[in-house]
Amino acid sequence: MIRIVGLFTAFVLLAGAAFSPAAAEDKTITVFAAASMKNALDEIDAAYTAKTGVKFSVSYAASSVLAKQIEQGAPADVFVSADTDWMDYAISRKTINEPSRVNLLGNSIVLIAPKDSKIDNVAIAQGFDLAKLAGDGRIATGDVKSVPVGKYAKAALEKLGAWQAAEPKFAMAESVRAALTLVARGEANLGIVYSTDAKVEPGVKIVGIFPADSHPAIIYPVAATTTAKGETSDYLAFLRSTAAKTILEKYGFKFLVSPTT
């Protein structure tokens, strides 16, 4: 009898340990986010973890790459795209919970050069000669066929009449951060990136700003995937909060929604 009681007590203790908060599996949200979001989103996620204990697994890459990975079954709870096209693509593939979609942020594109470059104060307007400005060097941006920043760059240059002459000098990178690195290392004389990227890289300087009407509006939509965990909705709400707005605006993003408390 004593032995039975002992076994029962041991079972209760083990069961209690198994279901105690300390032994419970850590909650983790998996986020697939545009490469340009890294610095700001890392800070937001750290703030959310401090507040809730929820942890994050984040993959940063070009929106095109992420959308296709989600389509192929990669486990993700949240998708943050740097343009509406790739969010629309994901929705068309039935991988996004469409009602959760919010067009959260805005951005702008700029012309950058290495910090020690002699190029400075470029007036970007109709007819400006980007090819001549680059000289014998390369111009870095994201792949203009798929990476959002490259698509915005090409659209702007076409409208301004600078694309045809400059196209042969372009170095197409896999993401905006890869393009940023090429310029920071001096491997490209110029680059076209988001203003938020230029802001966090000390190896480059902004030498010109593209007119907002020279390209489609730069919009970052965010949404939960169709396989998102239950706690994802609270995280998406946090992304719309005043606390998140403060962080995002610090990095230069434009907050496009009314913040929640």
Side-chain angles (χ1 to χ4, degrees):
M1 184 68 178
I2 293 174
R3 184 179 178 185
I4 293 174
V5 172
L7 288 172
F8 178 75
T9 302
F11 173 79
V12 171
L13 289 172
L14 286 171
F19 292 102
S20 69
E25 184 179 353
D26 287 333
K27 290 183 178 179
T28 301
I29 294 176
T30 301
V31 180
F32 279 24
S36 52
M37 289 293 300
K38 179 171 173 49
N39 299 73
L41 199 59
D42 280 351
E43 187 170 334
I44 286 172
D45 290 350
Y48 190 75
T49 297
K51 179 181 178 182
T52 65
V54 174
K55 298 179 181 178
F56 290 89
S57 173
V58 187
S59 292
Y60 293 107
S63 303
S64 52
V65 171
L66 298 172
K68 290 179 179 180
Q69 287 179 347
I70 293 171
E71 180 186 9
Q72 292 162 8
D77 300 304
V78 176
F79 178 38
V80 186
S81 175
D83 72 356
T84 57
D85 288 349
W86 284 110
M87 183 62 78
D88 291 343
Y89 174 91
I91 287 173
S92 74
R93 297 310 193 268
K94 310 298 183 185
T95 58
I96 294 297
N97 177 6
E98 188 170 0
S100 71
R101 173 180 176 166
V102 175
N103 289 338
L104 186 68
L105 303 171
N107 211 335
S108 58
I109 52 172
V110 296
L111 186 68
I112 60 170
K115 63 179 180 180
D116 57 355
S117 172
K118 294 180 180 178
I119 299 173
D120 207 356
N121 297 324
V122 177
I124 299 178
Q126 191 67 39
F128 95 109
D129 196 341
L130 180 60
K132 181 179 179 181
L133 194 65
D136 296 330
R138 307 290 281 172
I139 307 164
T141 195
D143 189 330
V144 299
K145 294 180 180 179
S146 59
V147 179
V149 72
K151 291 162 63 181
Y152 293 128
K154 181 182 178 182
L157 294 174
E158 285 180 332
K159 186 165 185 179
L160 297 171
W163 172 250
Q164 189 171 354
E167 181 181 5
K169 299 189 176 185
F170 268 87
M172 306 296 181
E174 63 184 12
S175 72
V176 67
R177 288 298 171 97
L180 185 70
T181 298
L182 287 174
V183 180
R185 291 177 177 172
E187 295 174 27
N189 284 2
L190 295 166
I192 300 175
V193 300
Y194 299 116
S195 59
T196 52
D197 291 292
K199 198 171 180 181
V200 297
E201 173 51 69
V204 306
K205 62 180 179 178
I206 295 174
V207 297
I209 300 172
F210 284 85
D213 62 359
S214 67
H215 55 79
I218 300 173
I219 296 173
Y220 286 62
V222 57
T225 65
T226 53
T227 57
K229 300 182 187 74
E231 53 265 28
T232 301
S233 58
D234 287 339
Y235 173 65
L236 291 180
F238 184 73
L239 289 179
R240 298 181 61 174
S241 69
T242 302
K245 179 178 185 288
T246 299
I247 294 170
L248 289 160
E249 290 183 340
K250 179 178 73 173
Y251 284 94
F253 288 98
K254 299 170 187 173
F255 211 67
L256 301 181
V257 298
S258 297
T260 57
T261 53

